[in-house]
Amino acid sequence: MLGTNPVVVRRTMAGLRDAGYVRSEKGHGGGWVLAADLEALSLLDVHRAVGGPRLFAIGNEHPHAGCAVEQVVNEAIEAVLRDAEARIIARLQAVSLAELARGFDARCRQNAGESAAPAASH
């Protein structure tokens, strides 16, 4: 369903478990369950718990460049990336998982209403 290796899923869930956001329950009907208040949990918390990768794959490849032009360009790029990363972090921190859950519930209700609506006749 996720289209990824089971090891990746286990590693991701372990990060969430270690942060106290989920726990596993054994036995019939068991599995992973939420263990945290969704209002208090942000996308940034989840990103950090799963060892989120760097936000940008671009950046300064030669931090000690000998060329003055490259040095000036690198400084400008680094400043832009720091600003962009700060903005992304602030946005991730502002989105709670409860907000996402409400959006998911609304989408499910909307989709259920659409599938229950009678088909238009031609």
Side-chain angles (χ1 to χ4, degrees):
M1 178 183 99
L2 296 176
T4 190
N5 189 300
V7 172
V8 173
V9 175
R10 283 193 293 274
R11 189 178 308 127
T12 300
M13 296 307 293
L16 295 171
R17 180 199 59 223
D18 293 347
Y21 302 151
V22 297
R23 69 176 185 279
S24 61
E25 293 185 353
K26 296 181 181 184
H28 182 70
W32 292 99
V33 296
L34 292 167
D37 175 14
L38 295 184
E39 289 290 349
L41 193 59
S42 73
L43 283 177
L44 182 60
D45 296 324
V46 172
H47 177 75
R48 288 177 173 160
V50 298
R54 289 179 29 198
L55 294 177
F56 297 104
I58 61 173
N60 186 357
E61 294 181 22
H62 306 287
H64 303 292
C67 172
V69 172
E70 188 174 356
Q71 291 170 0
V72 171
V73 171
N74 286 344
E75 289 171 9
I77 290 172
E78 289 298 322
V80 168
L81 291 176
R82 277 192 308 273
D83 181 53
E85 183 175 35
R87 288 171 167 258
I88 291 171
I89 287 171
R91 294 290 302 269
L92 291 174
Q93 183 67 48
V95 178
S96 73
L97 292 194
E99 182 180 337
L100 295 179
R102 288 188 292 273
F104 172 79
D105 290 344
R107 179 77 47 94
C108 288
R109 284 191 302 276
Q110 176 186 357
N111 290 344
E114 290 172 2
S115 64
S121 28
H122 297 287

PDB file of all heavy atoms in Angstrom, residues 44 47 52-58 81 84-89 92:
ATOM      1  N   LEU A  44       6.187  19.413  12.202  1.00  0.00           N
ATOM      2  CA  LEU A  44       7.612  19.536  12.490  1.00  0.00           C
ATOM      3  C   LEU A  44       8.050  18.484  13.499  1.00  0.00           C
ATOM      4  O   LEU A  44       9.119  17.888  13.357  1.00  0.00           O
ATOM      5  CB  LEU A  44       7.954  20.932  12.998  1.00  0.00           C
ATOM      6  CG  LEU A  44       9.432  21.182  13.287  1.00  0.00           C
ATOM      7  CD1 LEU A  44      10.280  20.999  12.031  1.00  0.00           C
ATOM      8  CD2 LEU A  44       9.628  22.571  13.861  1.00  0.00           C
ATOM      9  N   HIS A  47       8.358  15.303  11.571  1.00  0.00           N
ATOM     10  CA  HIS A  47       9.527  15.386  10.689  1.00  0.00           C
ATOM     11  C   HIS A  47      10.806  15.101  11.483  1.00  0.00           C
ATOM     12  O   HIS A  47      11.659  14.325  11.049  1.00  0.00           O
ATOM     13  CB  HIS A  47       9.593  16.773  10.044  1.00  0.00           C
ATOM     14  CG  HIS A  47      10.787  16.997   9.189  1.00  0.00           C
ATOM     15  ND1 HIS A  47      10.915  16.449   7.934  1.00  0.00           N
ATOM     16  CD2 HIS A  47      11.929  17.695   9.414  1.00  0.00           C
ATOM     17  CE1 HIS A  47      12.080  16.811   7.422  1.00  0.00           C
ATOM     18  NE2 HIS A  47      12.712  17.572   8.295  1.00  0.00           N
ATOM     19  N   GLY A  52      13.849  13.317   9.776  1.00  0.00           N
ATOM     20  CA  GLY A  52      13.599  13.972   8.496  1.00  0.00           C
ATOM     21  C   GLY A  52      14.874  14.405   7.810  1.00  0.00           C
ATOM     22  O   GLY A  52      15.788  14.917   8.451  1.00  0.00           O
ATOM     23  N   PRO A  53      14.922  14.215   6.516  1.00  0.00           N
ATOM     24  CA  PRO A  53      16.116  14.609   5.779  1.00  0.00           C
ATOM     25  C   PRO A  53      16.236  16.125   5.730  1.00  0.00           C
ATOM     26  O   PRO A  53      15.307  16.843   6.100  1.00  0.00           O
ATOM     27  CB  PRO A  53      15.858  14.049   4.373  1.00  0.00           C
ATOM     28  CG  PRO A  53      14.372  14.013   4.263  1.00  0.00           C
ATOM     29  CD  PRO A  53      13.869  13.710   5.653  1.00  0.00           C
ATOM     30  N   ARG A  54      17.368  16.579   5.267  1.00  0.00           N
ATOM     31  CA  ARG A  54      17.537  18.018   5.056  1.00  0.00           C
ATOM     32  C   ARG A  54      16.379  18.519   4.217  1.00  0.00           C
ATOM     33  O   ARG A  54      15.888  17.816   3.337  1.00  0.00           O
ATOM     34  CB  ARG A  54      18.837  18.279   4.291  1.00  0.00           C
ATOM     35  CG  ARG A  54      20.072  18.042   5.091  1.00  0.00           C
ATOM     36  CD  ARG A  54      21.334  18.298   4.296  1.00  0.00           C
ATOM     37  NE  ARG A  54      21.181  19.306   3.243  1.00  0.00           N
ATOM     38  CZ  ARG A  54      22.019  19.436   2.233  1.00  0.00           C
ATOM     39  NH1 ARG A  54      23.056  18.635   2.124  1.00  0.00           N
ATOM     40  NH2 ARG A  54      21.846  20.357   1.328  1.00  0.00           N
ATOM     41  N   LEU A  55      15.973  19.722   4.475  1.00  0.00           N
ATOM     42  CA  LEU A  55      14.851  20.284   3.726  1.00  0.00           C
ATOM     43  C   LEU A  55      15.224  20.608   2.287  1.00  0.00           C
ATOM     44  O   LEU A  55      14.381  20.580   1.398  1.00  0.00           O
ATOM     45  CB  LEU A  55      14.317  21.529   4.428  1.00  0.00           C
ATOM     46  CG  LEU A  55      13.672  21.264   5.788  1.00  0.00           C
ATOM     47  CD1 LEU A  55      13.252  22.577   6.435  1.00  0.00           C
ATOM     48  CD2 LEU A  55      12.483  20.329   5.655  1.00  0.00           C
ATOM     49  N   PHE A  56      16.494  20.913   2.033  1.00  0.00           N
ATOM     50  CA  PHE A  56      16.930  21.251   0.691  1.00  0.00           C
ATOM     51  C   PHE A  56      18.105  20.374   0.285  1.00  0.00           C
ATOM     52  O   PHE A  56      19.043  20.202   1.047  1.00  0.00           O
ATOM     53  CB  PHE A  56      17.356  22.724   0.600  1.00  0.00           C
ATOM     54  CG  PHE A  56      16.229  23.674   0.869  1.00  0.00           C
ATOM     55  CD1 PHE A  56      16.156  24.330   2.074  1.00  0.00           C
ATOM     56  CD2 PHE A  56      15.247  23.881  -0.072  1.00  0.00           C
ATOM     57  CE1 PHE A  56      15.111  25.199   2.340  1.00  0.00           C
ATOM     58  CE2 PHE A  56      14.200  24.737   0.175  1.00  0.00           C
ATOM     59  CZ  PHE A  56      14.129  25.394   1.387  1.00  0.00           C
ATOM     60  N   ALA A  57      18.022  19.843  -0.909  1.00  0.00           N
ATOM     61  CA  ALA A  57      19.117  19.026  -1.430  1.00  0.00           C
ATOM     62  C   ALA A  57      20.152  19.887  -2.143  1.00  0.00           C
ATOM     63  O   ALA A  57      21.201  19.404  -2.529  1.00  0.00           O
ATOM     64  CB  ALA A  57      18.571  17.961  -2.375  1.00  0.00           C
ATOM     65  N   ILE A  58      19.834  21.165  -2.324  1.00  0.00           N
ATOM     66  CA  ILE A  58      20.781  22.059  -2.979  1.00  0.00           C
ATOM     67  C   ILE A  58      21.573  22.801  -1.919  1.00  0.00           C
ATOM     68  O   ILE A  58      21.167  22.874  -0.767  1.00  0.00           O
ATOM     69  CB  ILE A  58      20.069  23.059  -3.911  1.00  0.00           C
ATOM     70  CG1 ILE A  58      19.103  23.944  -3.123  1.00  0.00           C
ATOM     71  CG2 ILE A  58      19.375  22.347  -5.038  1.00  0.00           C
ATOM     72  CD1 ILE A  58      18.492  25.069  -3.929  1.00  0.00           C
ATOM     73  N   LEU A  81      18.714  30.095   1.438  1.00  0.00           N
ATOM     74  CA  LEU A  81      18.310  28.776   1.936  1.00  0.00           C
ATOM     75  C   LEU A  81      18.002  28.810   3.438  1.00  0.00           C
ATOM     76  O   LEU A  81      17.058  28.163   3.895  1.00  0.00           O
ATOM     77  CB  LEU A  81      19.386  27.734   1.627  1.00  0.00           C
ATOM     78  CG  LEU A  81      19.550  27.377   0.145  1.00  0.00           C
ATOM     79  CD1 LEU A  81      20.714  26.410  -0.031  1.00  0.00           C
ATOM     80  CD2 LEU A  81      18.278  26.822  -0.433  1.00  0.00           C
ATOM     81  N   ALA A  84      14.574  30.414   3.722  1.00  0.00           N
ATOM     82  CA  ALA A  84      13.533  29.490   3.265  1.00  0.00           C
ATOM     83  C   ALA A  84      13.317  28.372   4.281  1.00  0.00           C
ATOM     84  O   ALA A  84      12.176  28.010   4.585  1.00  0.00           O
ATOM     85  CB  ALA A  84      13.907  28.911   1.900  1.00  0.00           C
ATOM     86  N   GLU A  85      14.395  27.831   4.831  1.00  0.00           N
ATOM     87  CA  GLU A  85      14.282  26.760   5.818  1.00  0.00           C
ATOM     88  C   GLU A  85      13.564  27.258   7.072  1.00  0.00           C
ATOM     89  O   GLU A  85      12.705  26.563   7.621  1.00  0.00           O
ATOM     90  CB  GLU A  85      15.651  26.203   6.180  1.00  0.00           C
ATOM     91  CG  GLU A  85      15.575  25.026   7.143  1.00  0.00           C
ATOM     92  CD  GLU A  85      16.920  24.402   7.390  1.00  0.00           C
ATOM     93  OE1 GLU A  85      17.938  25.126   7.423  1.00  0.00           O
ATOM     94  OE2 GLU A  85      16.956  23.173   7.561  1.00  0.00           O
ATOM     95  N   ALA A  86      13.873  28.467   7.518  1.00  0.00           N
ATOM     96  CA  ALA A  86      13.202  29.026   8.694  1.00  0.00           C
ATOM     97  C   ALA A  86      11.708  29.175   8.442  1.00  0.00           C
ATOM     98  O   ALA A  86      10.882  28.887   9.327  1.00  0.00           O
ATOM     99  CB  ALA A  86      13.816  30.376   9.059  1.00  0.00           C
ATOM    100  N   ARG A  87      11.342  29.596   7.243  1.00  0.00           N
ATOM    101  CA  ARG A  87       9.923  29.739   6.907  1.00  0.00           C
ATOM    102  C   ARG A  87       9.221  28.384   6.869  1.00  0.00           C
ATOM    103  O   ARG A  87       8.106  28.245   7.353  1.00  0.00           O
ATOM    104  CB  ARG A  87       9.760  30.444   5.558  1.00  0.00           C
ATOM    105  CG  ARG A  87      10.096  31.906   5.617  1.00  0.00           C
ATOM    106  CD  ARG A  87      10.128  32.499   4.208  1.00  0.00           C
ATOM    107  NE  ARG A  87      10.146  33.925   4.265  1.00  0.00           N
ATOM    108  CZ  ARG A  87       9.090  34.697   4.047  1.00  0.00           C
ATOM    109  NH1 ARG A  87       7.939  34.160   3.747  1.00  0.00           N
ATOM    110  NH2 ARG A  87       9.194  36.005   4.127  1.00  0.00           N
ATOM    111  N   ILE A  88       9.862  27.395   6.279  1.00  0.00           N
ATOM    112  CA  ILE A  88       9.270  26.056   6.208  1.00  0.00           C
ATOM    113  C   ILE A  88       9.107  25.478   7.610  1.00  0.00           C
ATOM    114  O   ILE A  88       8.063  24.913   7.948  1.00  0.00           O
ATOM    115  CB  ILE A  88      10.111  25.119   5.315  1.00  0.00           C
ATOM    116  CG1 ILE A  88       9.991  25.564   3.862  1.00  0.00           C
ATOM    117  CG2 ILE A  88       9.678  23.670   5.479  1.00  0.00           C
ATOM    118  CD1 ILE A  88      10.946  24.865   2.919  1.00  0.00           C
ATOM    119  N   ILE A  89      10.123  25.613   8.444  1.00  0.00           N
ATOM    120  CA  ILE A  89      10.047  25.105   9.814  1.00  0.00           C
ATOM    121  C   ILE A  89       8.894  25.772  10.566  1.00  0.00           C
ATOM    122  O   ILE A  89       8.126  25.099  11.257  1.00  0.00           O
ATOM    123  CB  ILE A  89      11.394  25.283  10.538  1.00  0.00           C
ATOM    124  CG1 ILE A  89      12.395  24.276   9.975  1.00  0.00           C
ATOM    125  CG2 ILE A  89      11.246  25.131  12.047  1.00  0.00           C
ATOM    126  CD1 ILE A  89      13.816  24.479  10.444  1.00  0.00           C
ATOM    127  N   LEU A  92       5.642  24.239   9.254  1.00  0.00           N
ATOM    128  CA  LEU A  92       5.460  22.871   9.747  1.00  0.00           C
ATOM    129  C   LEU A  92       5.060  22.879  11.220  1.00  0.00           C
ATOM    130  O   LEU A  92       4.235  22.083  11.653  1.00  0.00           O
ATOM    131  CB  LEU A  92       6.725  22.045   9.547  1.00  0.00           C
ATOM    132  CG  LEU A  92       7.100  21.698   8.110  1.00  0.00           C
ATOM    133  CD1 LEU A  92       8.455  21.003   8.077  1.00  0.00           C
ATOM    134  CD2 LEU A  92       6.039  20.846   7.451  1.00  0.00           C
TER     135      LEU A  92
END
